[in-house]
Amino acid sequence: MKRKIYSILTATALLFLGGCTGDYLDINDNPNSAVSSTPELVLSNALNTTAGRLTHNQIGNFFGGYWAPSGSYSGFIEERQFDYGATYGTGVWNGCYDNLTDYQYIVDKAEAQKWKAVSGIAKVMIAFNYQILVDAYGNIPFSDALKGTTSIRPKYDDAQAVYNGLITLLDAASADLKVAISGDNPSPAGQDIVFKGDLTKWRKFANTLRLRILMRQTNVTGKDLKTEIAKVVAEGAGFLGAGATVTSTPGYLKTAGKLNPFWENYVQNAAGSDAGAKQAYVCSDFFITTIQDVLKDPRLPRLAAKNNAGIYVGVPLGDGNDANLFPKRSWFGPAIIKSFDQPMVLMTAAESFFLQAEAIQRGFMTGDAKATYEAGITEAFTAAGLTAADAAGYYGSSIVNANWANSPDKIEAIITQKWVAMFSLTGFEAWSEFRRTGFPKVPLATKAVQAKAPARLFYPTSEIATNADNVAAQNVTSQFDNKIFWAKK
């Protein structure tokens, strides 16, 4: 986090204060803030950074049942055993808070100039990042965070209180985004690499994010989700619809460090050679078996690739012997691996439909749950390169958890189809939904140290070192038993 940098700089400066005046530290009043940029220019980089972070999705792709390490790579002990500590996945914490600092800078500067459009976008993205943090760690610094040198050891807020704060923040974002573009409220179109300045689409994204946050709390006793969701509907913009997957398109180039991050890390470098970690990641046995044998899903050739023997076969998470070498197992398919300049996905439109379908099915919204569910499947099919007719043939079949009428547990059907739709794109969401609902029934890693799946991440060593008392007060001792407040009990 950037406050760590401040602490180091301050400590270094104090070594030299004996021969300096009291104005020494006035060189930079707030090292957490840019001193020569403007909020709209920072926006492009902040959005690109959000979209390019892979750590949380990689973790989710493992724990959510999508990926497994191939036998061609050693290591991955944490994933194979579900046994990890405070050094595991630290990029989730550090990356989110670093990114949040940029968005908070945008809000502070934009609001000072009454630039509501820019401020509203940044508020949506602050909520987006904070939800990742809550869903990974539970209680986190929120009300006392992002204050630079005035709060270098921020207190922690209760996770549900943070969720409530995010709803309030998204309400404020929507109000900002409703303000008409004018000379006093300039359009961010030139710097908005997500929606090109379309503020109605940003409002739809904000509403869908609010719905995600609310639906995550279906296990929370006493939460009046029907009333809260009615407020989201009343906002007026609606939710993300067909073809409205939220993506970042900064203009990727075939140059080192400027390719699509997923492509550069998992596929090829700028010179066209295989990425160093390409053969490390393959489809899990659970994913292949579920799609091929259980769901009999025609998307399989789009989502996965055949092995060198011409069949689809995955690796059981935990196994790593020669039978599971990369050429012998299924890699990612053409719907996932397209080109060096493919967009990075922040939220799929299919997820929006499935969130709505679940809300309707649970009685929190009015509407047709079946039709909305089928619209979600259609969106997922077309996004994968198939047709609406292909989707209709699939959900019109007799397959359980594809056909609505033949699925005895409608919530399981919705979550199962959402899980397929998010394959490799938003793996962290798949892990969160598994922890919330128990669907689909992702198996334990074969080398798991306990008969339990991971429920959370540990606070990272960087936070323990700089904010030890507040970390200790959270009393997190187990990645299995210290569940996030919304998790299935």
Side-chain angles (χ1 to χ4, degrees):
M1 291 172 61
K2 290 185 179 178
R3 68 166 182 271
K4 285 174 60 189
I5 297 173
Y6 170 79
S7 300
I8 295 169
L9 291 174
T10 302
T12 304
L14 289 173
L15 294 176
F16 300 95
L17 279 177
C20 300
T21 69
D23 294 331
Y24 181 87
L25 294 178
D26 292 340
I27 291 173
N28 187 349
D29 291 332
N30 185 355
N32 293 299
S33 297
V35 295
S36 60
S37 190
T38 57
E40 72 274 21
L41 292 179
V42 175
L43 179 63
S44 295
N45 183 65
L47 291 170
N48 187 44
T49 298
T50 304
R53 290 199 316 266
L54 299 175
T55 303
H56 64 295
N57 273 321
Q58 181 169 303
I59 291 170
N61 282 321
F62 282 122
F63 295 160
Y66 293 142
W67 294 5
S70 78
S72 298
Y73 268 66
S74 59
F76 293 101
I77 302 303
E78 295 92 345
E79 291 84 3
R80 298 179 197 274
Q81 298 184 354
F82 288 170
D83 189 17
Y84 53 85
T87 60
Y88 180 72
T90 57
V92 179
W93 181 279
N94 295 334
C96 281
Y97 272 113
D98 185 74
N99 199 200
L100 281 164
T101 302
D102 292 332
Y103 286 122
Q104 189 62 52
Y105 166 81
I106 294 168
V107 170
D108 292 343
K109 296 299 182 182
E111 289 195 336
Q113 300 178 75
K114 296 183 171 56
W115 290 1
K116 295 296 186 179
V118 175
S119 177
I121 291 172
K123 288 174 182 175
V124 174
M125 298 312 299
I126 287 174
F128 183 88
N129 275 278
Y130 268 125
Q131 187 186 16
I132 293 171
L133 287 166
V134 170
D135 293 352
Y137 300 100
N139 300 344
I140 56 169
F142 177 64
S143 61
D144 204 27
L146 309 182
K147 294 183 178 179
T149 61
T150 63
S151 181
I152 60 174
R153 296 181 182 85
K155 69 182 177 87
Y156 279 54
D157 291 275
D158 175 77
Q160 188 167 7
V162 177
Y163 256 37
N164 294 339
L166 299 185
I167 296 297
T168 300
L169 181 63
L170 287 166
D171 288 341
S174 292
D176 286 351
L177 294 166
K178 288 180 179 179
V179 177
I181 296 298
S182 66
D184 295 328
N185 179 34
S187 171
Q191 294 75 39
D192 176 7
I193 60 175
V194 175
F195 290 128
K196 312 303 181 189
D198 189 326
L199 302 188
T200 299
K201 289 182 179 178
W202 274 106
R203 287 168 56 198
K204 290 178 182 290
F205 182 25
N207 285 342
T208 310
L209 187 55
R210 273 190 283 187
L211 184 59
R212 176 199 278 179
I213 291 169
L214 292 168
M215 291 303 295
R216 190 76 90 233
Q217 299 176 77
T218 54
N219 297 320
V220 177
T221 302
K223 188 71 175 177
D224 186 359
L225 294 177
K226 185 174 183 178
T227 298
E228 291 299 312
I229 292 173
K231 294 176 184 177
V232 182
V233 174
E235 189 277 340
F239 303 101
L240 295 170
T245 287
V246 184
T247 61
S248 169
T249 52
Y252 296 116
L253 302 172
K254 203 166 187 179
T255 304
K258 296 183 180 180
L259 293 85
N260 169 288
F262 190 99
W263 183 274
E264 190 165 18
N265 279 270
Y266 302 128
V267 188
Q268 288 182 345
N269 60 27
S273 300
D274 283 354
K278 176 180 177 179
Q279 296 195 20
Y281 306 96
V282 292
C283 297
S284 74
D285 173 71
F286 176 71
F287 177 75
I288 295 295
T289 300
T290 300
I291 301 299
Q292 180 172 249
D293 302 332
V294 179
L295 296 175
K296 298 177 173 52
D297 197 311
R299 285 169 287 184
L300 178 60
R302 301 293 303 166
L303 300 178
K306 293 179 179 178
N307 69 357
N308 60 355
I311 60 174
Y312 295 102
V313 58
V315 174
L317 180 58
D319 288 5
N321 53 32
D322 286 349
N324 295 305
L325 294 174
F326 179 81
K328 300 178 180 181
R329 294 297 178 255
S330 290
W331 194 46
F332 314 133
I336 307 304
I337 302 300
K338 298 176 182 178
S339 66
F340 72 88
D341 59 352
Q342 67 189 68
M344 286 293 290
V345 173
L346 293 169
M347 178 186 279
T348 67
E351 181 186 348
S352 174
F353 285 111
F354 291 125
L355 284 167
Q356 294 172 69
E358 183 183 355
I360 295 167
Q361 180 64 22
R362 290 185 184 273
F364 301 149
M365 283 175 58
T366 59
D368 186 332
K370 174 179 179 290
T372 308
Y373 164 80
E374 290 173 353
I377 295 177
T378 300
E379 177 62 28
F381 265 65
T382 56
L386 283 80
T387 68
D390 294 327
Y394 180 59
Y395 62 68
S397 69
S398 61
I399 299 169
V400 174
N401 291 332
N403 178 271
W404 182 260
N406 283 1
S407 301
D409 187 331
K410 309 304 184 191
I411 301 302
E412 181 177 5
I414 292 167
I415 301 304
T416 299
Q417 286 300 320
K418 183 194 290 189
W419 178 78
V420 179
M422 296 191 297
F423 171 68
S424 288
L425 301 174
T426 51
F428 186 80
E429 275 303 301
W431 181 38
S432 294
E433 288 293 77
F434 169 65
R435 289 178 288 160
R436 175 176 74 94
T437 68
F439 300 131
K441 298 177 176 64
V442 180
L444 294 175
T446 60
K447 303 294 191 300
V449 295
Q450 291 195 31
K452 299 177 182 179
R456 59 166 305 119
L457 300 183
F458 284 114
Y459 297 112
T461 52
S462 58
E463 180 68 359
I464 295 170
T466 58
N467 200 9
D469 290 345
N470 283 317
V471 173
Q474 310 315 308
N475 195 32
V476 173
T477 59
S478 170
Q479 71 265 49
F480 306 108
D481 299 321
N482 293 128
K483 297 180 179 180
I484 310 303
F485 77 99
W486 44 252
K488 188 178 180 68
K489 304 302 180 185

